[in-house]
Amino acid sequence: VGAAPRHDFAREMIRHPIGWVRGALRSFGDGVQQAQRLRDRMRSKGFAGDARLERVERYCDAFAPSAGFVTRVRAYHRSGARPQRVVSRMILYGLIAVFPRAHSSLQH
C-alpha cells in the first residue's frame, strides 16, 4: 500500500543513481537498526536460548561492521532470511558486502 509503481523506481535509479544508492543504503540501515532494537528487546524480555532470538541475532550479525565478509554471509545464511526473487537475493549479497563500510560513511 502506498508503494510507487516499479517504473518510478527504475526511473529514479537511472536519473539519480548516486542519490538512489545513498537513499537505499539509508533505508536498509533503518531496517538493520530495527532488527538490532528487536534483538535487544528480546534479550531484555528473557528470550535467551529461543530460536527466534537466535535468528534475529544472526541477521544482525550479517551486517556487523566488525565481521568480515565471509562471516557476515554465513550469519545471513544461518538467519534463515531469504528474499523470494533471485534479483533480490543478489542485491542482498551486495548489501552484505558493502553495507558496514558504506552505511558508516553516510553517517559522517
Side-chain angles (χ1 to χ4, degrees):
V1 173
R6 285 189 184 175
H7 63 275
D8 287 352
F9 155 82
R11 185 180 309 128
E12 184 65 23
M13 190 171 60
I14 291 167
R15 286 184 181 170
H16 308 286
I18 293 171
W20 181 86
V21 168
R22 286 183 177 151
L25 284 170
R26 281 190 195 103
S27 294
F28 194 79
D30 291 345
V32 170
Q33 288 176 347
Q34 283 182 328
Q36 292 166 340
R37 287 192 300 269
L38 174 62
R39 176 200 58 203
D40 296 343
R41 281 195 318 269
M42 290 176 79
R43 285 177 178 168
S44 71
K45 299 287 183 185
F47 280 79
D50 188 289
R52 294 169 293 184
L53 173 58
E54 290 177 16
R55 287 185 70 185
V56 174
E57 286 177 332
R58 290 174 184 151
Y59 182 82
C60 291
D61 291 345
F63 302 99
S66 60
F69 175 69
V70 173
T71 302
R72 292 194 313 269
V73 168
R74 285 183 183 147
Y76 165 71
H77 278 289
R78 291 176 51 218
S79 78
R82 298 288 182 275
Q84 295 298 312
R85 295 189 170 124
V86 173
V87 172
S88 297
R89 278 185 242 143
M90 300 296 286
I91 291 169
L92 190 56
Y93 281 115
L95 283 167
I96 291 169
V98 303
F99 181 77
R101 183 175 297 155
H103 189 254
S104 67
S105 71
L106 289 174
Q107 296 185 348
H108 292 109

